[in-house]
Amino acid sequence: MSTLTTPHIDVHRGGDRMKTRVAWLDSKHSFSFGEHYDPDNTHHGLLLVNNEDVVRPGEGFETHPHRDMEIVTWVLRGSLVHQDSLGHSGIIYPGLAQRMSAGTGILHSEKNDSWHLPPDQGGTAEHSEPVHFVQMWVVPDEPGLEPGYQQLEIDTELAAGGLVTVASGLPRYRDRTAIKINSSHSALHVARLGLPGQPTAVDLPEAPYLHLFIAHGEVDMAGTGTLYAGDAVRLTRSGGQRITANLPAEILVWEMHARLGGQ
């Protein structure tokens, strides 16, 4: 657990993120990633990666390895094909929660090419729509776990409003989490705000570490002001702030009760 006792709120604007841009990929990194390294910006709590990616049709990440990481992918628009060395193959789309536990080692690919899958696996006609998604990595409780994969449709729960617990290892959310992660101090919540029939506001949970990411739309946060798509807020020893949508919005909230290194 953290020894910090003073509440702290740190706003990070979307335009200030590190960027990777190639012909097929537009990626924005909230923390140090790949060739982009800042020793003062490596993580918050147990969250090491919060990448917002846009991938062109027919393109994507070729097969590559991971180990000892809990990887949660959340699609905002379009569809992403996942294939891995455990034999999982399927399409991730908005409203589908997905987690991959890398554990002792796993290979996977992620591409915007759903038409390559057979119909019984969700194969579609060729399309021209980019896929827009956020991929997040949190540290597992221990290294060397068995690799695993889980996905679950939760669009109905999101439509009901409020913060929906998408992925969690926290015992308090055991009976209401969509998918389980091997991180007993972490939980990811998602809320859609301001859509017809949806609430316009939610309150953040209280925790030693919170990471709020505005996936799209525009919101006001009590005490901070207006936040736009791509903005993030890192909170320490805080919580309870009200998030109010000025425009239809979707927010991603990591609630964490420990941090990397236990400091």
Side-chain angles (χ1 to χ4, degrees):
M1 297 293 293
S2 170
T3 57
L4 295 174
T5 58
T6 303
H8 183 71
I9 297 175
D10 191 9
V11 177
H12 291 253
R13 295 297 179 183
D16 295 333
R17 290 173 294 177
M18 295 169 282
K19 302 174 180 65
T20 297
R21 287 178 175 154
V22 294
W24 58 272
L25 171 68
D26 183 353
S27 184
K28 301 180 180 70
H29 318 296
S30 295
F31 304 99
S32 295
F33 188 82
E35 64 183 24
H36 303 287
Y37 181 71
D38 177 353
D40 297 321
N41 183 28
T42 59
H43 67 285
H44 181 66
L46 295 168
L47 183 64
L48 274 74
V49 169
N50 187 88
N51 285 350
E52 181 184 2
D53 294 340
V54 177
V55 174
R56 289 178 53 182
E59 304 284 359
F61 299 94
E62 299 292 344
T63 301
H64 58 281
H66 291 284
R67 66 180 299 120
D68 292 328
M69 199 65 63
E70 298 294 293
I71 300 173
V72 179
T73 302
W74 187 252
V75 173
L76 303 173
R77 178 171 58 94
S79 62
L80 185 69
V81 175
H82 167 95
Q83 295 179 308
D84 64 42
S85 54
L86 297 178
H88 301 108
S89 178
I91 299 177
I92 315 167
Y93 49 85
L96 182 80
Q98 188 247 37
R99 174 269 298 167
M100 186 179 73
S101 297
T104 54
I106 193 170
L107 299 169
H108 81 139
S109 64
E110 298 161 300
K111 295 185 177 182
N112 184 5
D113 62 351
S114 58
W115 56 87
H116 287 171
L117 289 181
D120 63 352
Q121 294 182 23
T124 62
E126 189 165 354
H127 61 79
S128 58
E129 182 180 19
V131 59
H132 181 191
F133 63 98
V134 182
Q135 187 168 94
M136 300 152 280
W137 301 6
V138 293
V139 181
D141 290 336
E142 56 184 299
L145 298 172
E146 182 179 354
Y149 179 89
Q150 186 181 4
Q151 66 179 47
L152 186 67
E153 166 70 62
I154 59 169
D155 209 53
T156 300
E157 289 80 359
L158 288 166
L163 282 174
V164 176
T165 308
V166 169
S168 173
L170 282 167
R172 71 183 66 182
Y173 300 121
R174 183 177 294 115
D175 297 330
R176 58 190 178 106
T177 186
I179 53 178
K180 185 180 184 303
I181 56 175
N182 296 307
S183 178
S184 58
H185 300 292
S186 306
L188 170 64
H189 313 282
V190 175
R192 292 173 177 168
L193 303 172
L195 295 168
Q198 296 275 23
T200 58
V202 293
D203 295 330
L204 294 178
E206 295 189 7
Y209 300 95
L210 290 172
H211 185 271
L212 166 68
F213 181 71
I214 314 305
H216 65 74
E218 179 185 307
V219 302
D220 277 340
M221 175 175 163
T224 300
T226 303
L227 301 168
Y228 305 92
D231 289 350
V233 184
R234 304 176 194 181
L235 301 94
T236 304
R237 290 290 179 191
S238 190
Q241 291 86 351
R242 174 145 288 203
I243 308 297
T244 304
N246 299 325
L247 300 170
E250 185 164 310
I251 62 171
L252 282 63
V253 181
W254 278 99
E255 171 188 350
M256 296 167 286
H257 293 261
R259 63 164 285 166
L260 187 65
Q263 297 299 315

